Amino acid sequence: MPRYKLTIEYDGAPFCGWQLQDNALSVQGALEAAVAAMCGEPVRVHGAGRTDAGVHAFGQVAHCDVAKPFAPDRLRDGLNAHLRPHPIAVLAAEIVPDTFEARFSARKRHYLYRIKNTRANLALDIGRVWRVPRRLDAGAMHEAAQRLVGKHDFTTFRDTECQAKSPEKTLDQLDVTRDGDEIRIVTSARSFLHSQVRSMVGSLVWVGEGRWSADDLAAALAAKNRAACGPVAPPEGLYLVRVEY
């Protein structure tokens, strides 16, 4: 029974998130239905990251074991045919060793958060960025963001329903840049807590607006208290860009 690694792109807007749910459309559920249509039997698809409702992906990774072997390109094309009209694309399929696990074999996950810093209403980017009308100081945001890099207890930036055993994570990167009206926040780590990225982004926006200083952000981290967190950024600006193995 070969194991396949799938690299997947999707628009998260129509979905309740990655994870399978009984009464809602999920990315995992749509993929499992497509694999079952090809194979004629139920197949579990395991993802590298459980993205929330509305979160997008350029490079989500999943694996599945299929009883009937397919050439990787044929599996990719067949899945894409069965996935229509869902906004999900299987970009690549490859056969991997049985020891490969999309979630547990991952060495690093890379995320991008997009903010459109404009007073004008959105047109082409509706549902794909967070529009913040007040001018943000990207330099101050980047400087403050470096206070969060490294190994810390991220309880402040952790959803109250997070199921991770420990709030400690090592953040390898948190960079903030501006390109015209767009603020781009790039972050990477081996793994993240539930809502950690969106929680950090919301707090950084407070820094960009001048409500918080870098010291305020550091104090929020040190508080190890969810109540000390700034606003949680909306999901539509977040993208899972790439998973390293």
Side-chain angles (χ1 to χ4, degrees), residues 41-65:
E41 61 181 0
V43 174
R44 180 47 46 93
V45 176
H46 304 269
R50 297 175 181 175
T51 53
D52 290 336
V55 175
H56 316 295
F58 292 129
Q60 171 73 283
V61 175
H63 80 267
C64 59
D65 298 327

Side-chain angles (χ1 to χ4, degrees), residues 21-79:
Q21 294 189 23
D22 291 337
N23 300 310
L25 179 64
S26 67
V27 179
Q28 184 183 25
L31 282 164
E32 289 185 357
V35 176
M38 283 198 70
C39 302
E41 61 181 0
V43 174
R44 180 47 46 93
V45 176
H46 304 269
R50 297 175 181 175
T51 53
D52 290 336
V55 175
H56 316 295
F58 292 129
Q60 171 73 283
V61 175
H63 80 267
C64 59
D65 298 327
V66 177
K68 180 182 178 181
F70 294 92
D73 288 353
R74 185 184 171 203
L75 180 65
R76 177 200 62 204
D77 295 345
L79 291 179

Side-chain angles (χ1 to χ4, degrees), residues 147-189:
R147 302 288 193 96
L148 303 182
V149 174
K151 186 176 182 179
H152 303 286
D153 180 326
F154 283 98
T155 296
T156 298
F157 304 99
R158 176 188 193 182
D159 190 274
T160 55
E161 297 183 2
C162 179
Q163 297 178 354
K165 293 180 180 179
S166 169
E168 286 194 353
K169 294 291 177 183
T170 300
L171 194 65
D172 297 313
Q173 177 187 18
L174 186 59
D175 293 335
V176 184
T177 58
R178 174 182 286 278
D179 183 7
D181 287 337
E182 184 165 318
I183 302 284
R184 298 170 69 88
I185 300 173
V186 175
T187 187
S188 62

